[in-house]
Amino acid sequence: VDREVREQRGTELPLFLTSYPVCERVVRDRFLVVVRAPAFCFVTRVNALVESVLRQMAHENFEEFPKLESFIKVETEDLRKKHLEACRKDIFKIFDQEHLVWTQDRTYMEVVNAMQTPQRPGHQQKKNSILSKAKEVFSDAVSSTIAPPLVAPIVSGVVSDALNTDDTATADTSKNSVKDNFDQASSQVMLGVEAYLQVAVRRMCDTIPMAVLHHLLIQLSSEVKTHVLAMAAKPDTLDP
């Protein structure tokens, strides 16, 4: 781990000599703003399903014991709210970490190389945009919030702003040369930014569902089991 930390450069990734400032602006000001709502919508939908299942299980298993059923429903509701809040905090932390705009050189270059590899004739890419995987994870929540062609308008607008403000070109440079240089620099920046966005999407498509799984399914189910067994073992604690 120490060797990896020393050798991997993070924000000094290849291609980031020109694209990192632009990539920061795209990720922080545009990308994270766009995906935040679908992420929390995903949490809300899972939470609603968990709430419904908990109430249904309490009713099906303790229907003959109304008092116990009522206590279990109250207890599981409190536990669900506690773990929902913990899940939301974790996801807020994930978004804060994504503001670092950082990844390993190796991971980044694998995406860059894949993007630069010519496609075989007749071969159609399974993913038409970098958000396709996010759509698969966030389901309808994403598709109703994010339009598919996200990268092009976001990146191209910011790239144009950044490159148009670049005062390194000399006054005697011809218009054609300037245009050629602009197109080349723009393409390079677009490649770097889009490659990073692919990395970020893949990472968030893992970390956000993992946070939900950890809190609302694994940890919650474990605590519910413990509390229900404790109440069933000591029915006297249910007396008013």
Side-chain angles (χ1 to χ4, degrees), residues 1-9 102 104 106:
V1 173
D2 289 340
R3 181 176 59 81
E4 286 291 310
V5 171
R6 289 194 302 270
E7 294 181 358
Q8 305 297 325
R9 297 172 297 174
W102 183 92
Q104 297 283 350
R106 186 180 301 109

Side-chain angles (χ1 to χ4, degrees), residues 9 15-16 38 42 70 79 103 125 148 153 163 183 196 213 230 236:
R9 297 172 297 174
L15 300 181
F16 269 23
F42 171 67
S70 177
L79 292 174
T103 188
Q125 289 181 310
L163 295 180
D183 290 342
Y196 180 81
L213 175 66
D236 54 304

Side-chain angles (χ1 to χ4, degrees), residues 10-11 13-32 98-103 108 154-155 158-159 162 188-200 203:
T11 56
L13 289 166
L15 300 181
F16 269 23
L17 293 176
T18 56
S19 65
Y20 184 70
V22 178
C23 191
E24 273 191 322
R25 292 172 59 188
V26 172
V27 172
R28 295 174 181 175
D29 299 342
R30 308 285 185 89
F31 175 71
L32 292 179
E98 289 297 332
H99 276 77
L100 295 174
V101 190
W102 183 92
T103 188
Y108 178 76
I154 286 182
V155 177
V158 179
V159 168
Q188 189 79 349
V189 172
M190 288 278 286
L191 175 64
V193 174
E194 186 170 352
Y196 180 81
L197 289 182
Q198 288 198 33
V199 173
R203 181 167 55 214

Side-chain angles (χ1 to χ4, degrees), residues 128-129 131 135 146-154:
N128 294 324
S129 75
L131 291 183
K135 288 184 179 183
I146 302 178
L150 173 70
V151 178
I154 286 182

Side-chain angles (χ1 to χ4, degrees), residues 100-154:
L100 295 174
V101 190
W102 183 92
T103 188
Q104 297 283 350
D105 286 26
R106 186 180 301 109
T107 302
Y108 178 76
M109 288 309 300
E110 285 176 357
V111 176
V112 172
N113 292 335
M115 292 173 61
Q116 292 178 324
T117 302
Q119 295 294 316
R120 296 190 303 271
H123 178 72
Q124 182 178 6
Q125 289 181 310
K126 293 181 179 180
K127 295 179 176 61
N128 294 324
S129 75
I130 66 165
L131 291 183
S132 57
K133 187 171 178 60
K135 288 184 179 183
E136 295 171 6
V137 175
F138 300 143
S139 189
D140 296 337
V142 175
S143 62
S144 62
T145 309
I146 302 178
L150 173 70
V151 178
I154 286 182

Side-chain angles (χ1 to χ4, degrees), residues 5-216:
V5 171
R6 289 194 302 270
E7 294 181 358
Q8 305 297 325
R9 297 172 297 174
T11 56
E12 298 178 6
L13 289 166
L15 300 181
F16 269 23
L17 293 176
T18 56
S19 65
Y20 184 70
V22 178
C23 191
E24 273 191 322
R25 292 172 59 188
V26 172
V27 172
R28 295 174 181 175
D29 299 342
R30 308 285 185 89
F31 175 71
L32 292 179
V33 173
V34 170
V35 299
R36 184 181 294 268
F40 282 98
C41 183
F42 171 67
V43 176
T44 300
R45 292 175 61 186
V46 173
N47 175 64
L49 290 173
V50 170
E51 180 181 11
S52 175
V53 169
L54 286 174
R55 295 185 67 84
Q56 182 180 353
M57 289 178 63
H59 178 70
E60 290 178 353
N61 290 280
F62 302 101
E63 184 178 5
E64 298 180 359
F65 309 96
K67 191 173 183 180
L68 179 59
E69 178 186 347
S70 177
F71 271 84
I72 288 177
K73 284 182 177 180
V74 172
E75 190 75 13
T76 55
E77 180 69 6
D78 291 340
L79 292 174
R80 181 189 61 78
K81 289 180 179 179
K82 182 183 79 171
H83 285 284
L84 174 62
E85 182 62 24
C87 180
R88 289 182 181 276
K89 288 182 179 179
D90 267 11
I91 294 178
F92 274 117
K93 186 182 296 184
I94 289 171
F95 275 92
D96 286 342
Q97 292 170 341
E98 289 297 332
H99 276 77
L100 295 174
V101 190
W102 183 92
T103 188
Q104 297 283 350
D105 286 26
R106 186 180 301 109
T107 302
Y108 178 76
M109 288 309 300
E110 285 176 357
V111 176
V112 172
N113 292 335
M115 292 173 61
Q116 292 178 324
T117 302
Q119 295 294 316
R120 296 190 303 271
H123 178 72
Q124 182 178 6
Q125 289 181 310
K126 293 181 179 180
K127 295 179 176 61
N128 294 324
S129 75
I130 66 165
L131 291 183
S132 57
K133 187 171 178 60
K135 288 184 179 183
E136 295 171 6
V137 175
F138 300 143
S139 189
D140 296 337
V142 175
S143 62
S144 62
T145 309
I146 302 178
L150 173 70
V151 178
I154 286 182
V155 177
S156 61
V158 179
V159 168
S160 297
D161 293 343
L163 295 180
N164 281 330
T165 57
D166 186 4
D167 55 4
T168 59
T170 58
D172 58 348
T173 304
S174 66
K175 292 184 179 180
N176 290 335
S177 179
V178 170
K179 184 178 184 304
D180 291 341
N181 291 337
F182 177 86
D183 290 342
Q184 183 178 0
S186 178
S187 298
Q188 189 79 349
V189 172
M190 288 278 286
L191 175 64
V193 174
E194 186 170 352
Y196 180 81
L197 289 182
Q198 288 198 33
V199 173
V201 166
R202 292 175 184 175
R203 181 167 55 214
M204 295 179 72
C205 283
D206 286 335
T207 54
I208 291 176
M210 282 175 66
V212 174
L213 175 66
H214 175 72
H215 290 289
L216 291 180

